């Protein structure tokens, strides 16, 4: 099985914290969509022996596209790829785009999963992040969406300055009240070349408080568990049968094709990425060229990625898989370097010799994983 990711590089406005590739100008939208469809056709041989299990339309803000524009993209995919009948097809959307008519139109498409970028149910937080929607639009969009879609996930951000724990808890309670079956929740982070980074550098915004983020994370873990969500990946919480199949395929090392500017692909041994420039992307496809770079992954690369993704999930890191895929030297390296973390209660060895992250270790998992990487053979 394999997945397709489509990057739609347009947004109404720039969120202060975001470092994804996008443009706030829609003047070249038609040329971009034509190039995306051309890349899909151009690369179909890469997946001629694969069945497509998931399609994820992200960005950017894909909900800026009309239903007709989205339909034309899906038509190209279904014509050129073998999409399974029960494929998970996700569309990212912002609340301000989700009128009842838009949601009805989306429900007529192959889309069967909506990912709605709520981020917060409070206007002051949304203003701080420079989101395009209001708290009222968030609630209204969910009220309508749950009538047309069974599978809905929302994004929420914690660790926001001036967001009290009480306020964060209220965000979660509102999500539970709507009956949402999946939540993706991330700590606010400062990425270089973002407005937020500039504001902090200039002293307009205080540095982010890691202790506040940790406190919010603990509340998140506790409250989702009380409401029968499974914490199946560090930032993802889903009820049974509502885990993201597409994102899970990333974490389990399955193949995926990234279409659109800045999109990444993985075929099991190589990683490739498209140019993060709309004009260059369109020009290359117009000239029948693929605007990408390819990296052949070393054994070290593949091992390190397995450690990073495995420890972030409930499926953990299998000693048996490490020995089978990478050899005894890698297994010995892993066993030796995990001992300090096991003693500190941050990692534990579960059934079938699978290494998993404990509740205590979850907030620190990226640092733990990097300490287990194999740098030199």
């Amino acid at each position: 099985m394999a997945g397709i990711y489509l990057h739609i590089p347009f947004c109404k406005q720039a969120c202060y914290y975001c470092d994804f590739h996008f443009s706030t100008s829609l003047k070249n939208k038609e040329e971009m969509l034509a190039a995306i469809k051309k890349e899909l056709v151009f690369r179909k041989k890469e997946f001629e022996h694969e069945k497509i299990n998931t399609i994820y339309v992200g960005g950017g803000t894909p909900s800026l596209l009309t239903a007709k524009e989205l339909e034309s993209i899906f038509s190209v995919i279904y014509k050129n790829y073998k999409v399974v009948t029960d494929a998970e097809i996700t569309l990212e959307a912002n609340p301000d785009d989700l009128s009842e008519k838009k949601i009805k139109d989306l429900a007529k498409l192959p889309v069967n999963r909506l990912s709605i970028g709520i981020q917060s149910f409070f206007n002051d937080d949304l203003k701080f992040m420079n989101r395009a929607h209001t708290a009222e639009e968030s609630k209204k969009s969910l009220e309508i969406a749950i009538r047309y879609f069974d599978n809905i996930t929302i994004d929420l951000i914690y660790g926001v300055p001036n967001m009290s724990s009480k306020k964060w808890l209220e965000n979660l309670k509102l999500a539970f009240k709507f009956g949402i079956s999946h939540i993706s929740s991330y700590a606010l982070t400062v990425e270089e070349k973002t407005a937020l980074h500039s504001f902090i550098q200039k002293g307009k915004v205080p540095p982010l408080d890691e202790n506040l983020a940790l406190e919010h994370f603990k509340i998140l873990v506790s409250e989702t568990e009380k409401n029968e969500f499974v914490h199946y990946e560090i930032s993802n919480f889903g009820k049974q049968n509502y885990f993201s199949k597409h994102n899970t395929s990333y974490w389990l090392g399955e193949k995926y094709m990234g279409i659109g500017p800045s999109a990444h692909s993985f075929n099991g041994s190589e990683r490739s990425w498209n140019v993060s420039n709309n004009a260059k992307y369109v020009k290359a496809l117009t000239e029948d060229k693929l605007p990408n770079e390819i990296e052949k992954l070393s054994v070290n690369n593949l091992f390190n990625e397995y450690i990073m993704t495995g420890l972030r999930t409930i499926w953990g890191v299998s000693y048996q898989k490490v020995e089978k895929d990478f050899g005894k030297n890698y297994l010995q390296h892993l066993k030796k370097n995990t001992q300090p973390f096991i003693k500190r209660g941050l990692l534990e060895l579960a059934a079938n010799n699978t290494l998993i992250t404990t509740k205590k270790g979850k907030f620190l998992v990226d640092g733990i994983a990097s300490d287990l990487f194999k740098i030199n053979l």
Side-chain angles (χ1 to χ4, degrees), residues 327-339:
K328 290 185 178 179
N329 287 340
Y330 283 85
L331 179 60
Q332 290 171 356
H333 163 87
L334 181 61
K335 284 183 174 180
K336 176 184 175 183
N337 287 281
T338 54
Q339 290 309 305

Side-chain angles (χ1 to χ4, degrees), residues 15-19 190-198 201:
C15 299
Y16 289 151
Y17 56 85
C18 181
D19 70 340
V190 183
E191 305 293 345
E192 290 189 13
K193 298 181 181 179
T194 62
L196 180 59
H197 181 264
S198 175
Q201 292 288 95

Side-chain angles (χ1 to χ4, degrees), residues 44-190:
K44 65 181 182 180
K45 285 188 177 180
E46 293 179 34
F47 274 8
E48 62 182 335
H49 301 300
E50 301 288 343
K51 290 183 179 180
I52 303 303
N53 193 43
T54 64
I55 300 169
Y56 193 104
V57 188
T61 311
S63 54
L64 283 176
L65 301 186
T66 66
K68 187 176 180 180
E69 288 167 339
L70 289 166
E71 185 178 25
S72 70
I73 295 173
F74 287 125
S75 176
V76 172
I77 294 174
Y78 276 83
K79 184 178 179 180
N80 291 278
Y81 296 83
K82 301 169 187 174
V83 182
V84 300
T85 54
D86 61 344
E88 176 194 86
I89 303 179
T90 304
L91 178 86
E92 288 185 351
N94 278 349
D96 46 306
D97 296 325
L98 295 179
S99 64
E100 184 156 10
K101 182 183 184 307
K102 184 62 170 279
I103 291 172
K104 281 183 177 180
D105 289 343
L106 293 177
K108 294 174 185 175
L109 298 174
V111 175
N112 52 32
R113 183 173 184 268
L114 277 187
S115 176
I116 305 178
I118 300 293
Q119 313 311 352
S120 175
F121 287 104
F122 293 92
N123 281 323
D124 57 334
D125 295 332
L126 297 173
K127 186 176 180 181
F128 174 83
M129 300 179 209
N130 200 40
R131 295 290 293 172
H133 67 275
T134 65
E136 186 58 36
E137 286 173 323
S138 291
K139 296 169 188 174
K140 187 67 177 177
S141 69
L142 286 174
E143 286 173 4
I144 301 169
I146 59 178
R147 300 204 302 265
Y148 295 92
F149 286 88
D150 169 62
N151 197 348
I152 295 174
T153 178
I154 65 171
D155 286 352
L156 292 173
I157 292 180
Y158 60 87
V160 178
N162 300 318
M163 180 188 279
S164 67
S165 292
K166 181 180 179 182
K167 191 178 181 185
W168 172 235
L169 181 59
E170 186 62 26
N171 265 317
L172 294 171
K173 286 182 176 178
L174 278 167
F176 301 145
K177 183 180 177 182
F178 281 106
I180 300 304
S181 298
H182 189 282
I183 297 172
S184 294
S185 192
Y186 309 90
L188 182 66
T189 55
V190 183

